[in-house]
Every structure is written in structure tokens, then in C-alpha cells.
Amino acid sequence: MKVMMYTSENCAYCEGAKLLCSTKGYEYNQVVVGRDMQREEFLEMYPAQRTVPLIFVTEDGLTSKIGGYQEFKKWAEAREATRGMTL
């Protein structure tokens, strides 16, 4: 599983998302809006997105848009809960 996130500098939610990845052992890459790409380019790619982080997860070859930090935290909690279940 890999996590891709669009972040910005001095963003508490972005830092929270990176910390969550680190504590859960998730491998992640980030693109810093304003450094690695221009804000305008980000808005062209994701016109409905007005905030960062914007997080995507690729698992089993499928990429899913998760959303921001709160959605990512809920996703991680649900993933842990389902992985703890025996099928």
C-alpha cells in the first residue's frame, strides 16, 4: 500500500497526515503545493479541491481518493478494524 498526498508548508493537517503515515508504517510520497508544483496547477488538476492535504491511497493496484486528514484518519481506523477481523 502506498499513500500519495498533496500538502503545503506550515499546514497542521498535512503534518498530522504525515505523522499518521509514520506511526502506522504507511509508505508515502508528497507533493508540496507552492514548492513542487504551483497552486494554479494543483487547482487545474483538482478544481473542486480548495484545501490540503489531499490524500490518495493505492492498494492492490487500485487508487482511491481518500480526502483530507480527517477522512484519512477514519480510513486508517477502518482499515485497522477490518484487518483485525478473521475471515
Side-chain angles (χ1 to χ4, degrees), residues 33-52:
V33 178
R35 184 185 74 197
D36 300 327
M37 72 184 309
Q38 295 301 311
R39 181 178 181 271
E40 293 76 16
E41 185 181 359
F42 175 77
L43 292 173
E44 282 180 28
M45 291 172 61
Y46 306 104
Q49 189 70 31
R50 295 290 180 235
T51 60
V52 290

Side-chain angles (χ1 to χ4, degrees), residues 1-75:
M1 183 204 52
K2 291 189 179 187
V3 177
M4 169 61 181
M5 62 178 86
Y6 291 91
T7 64
S8 67
E9 295 178 350
N10 302 315
C11 167
Y13 287 107
C14 299
E15 292 303 317
K18 291 186 280 186
L19 180 61
L20 181 63
C21 283
S22 295
T23 58
K24 301 288 185 188
Y26 300 160
E27 182 181 333
Y28 73 92
N29 294 319
Q30 69 173 327
V31 174
V32 180
V33 178
R35 184 185 74 197
D36 300 327
M37 72 184 309
Q38 295 301 311
R39 181 178 181 271
E40 293 76 16
E41 185 181 359
F42 175 77
L43 292 173
E44 282 180 28
M45 291 172 61
Y46 306 104
Q49 189 70 31
R50 295 290 180 235
T51 60
V52 290
L54 174 58
I55 302 167
F56 295 86
V57 172
T58 301
E59 196 167 27
D60 299 326
L62 299 172
T63 300
S64 301
K65 178 182 174 184
I66 303 301
Y69 171 72
Q70 296 295 335
E71 293 86 2
F72 184 48
K73 185 176 174 186
K74 289 177 187 173
W75 178 89

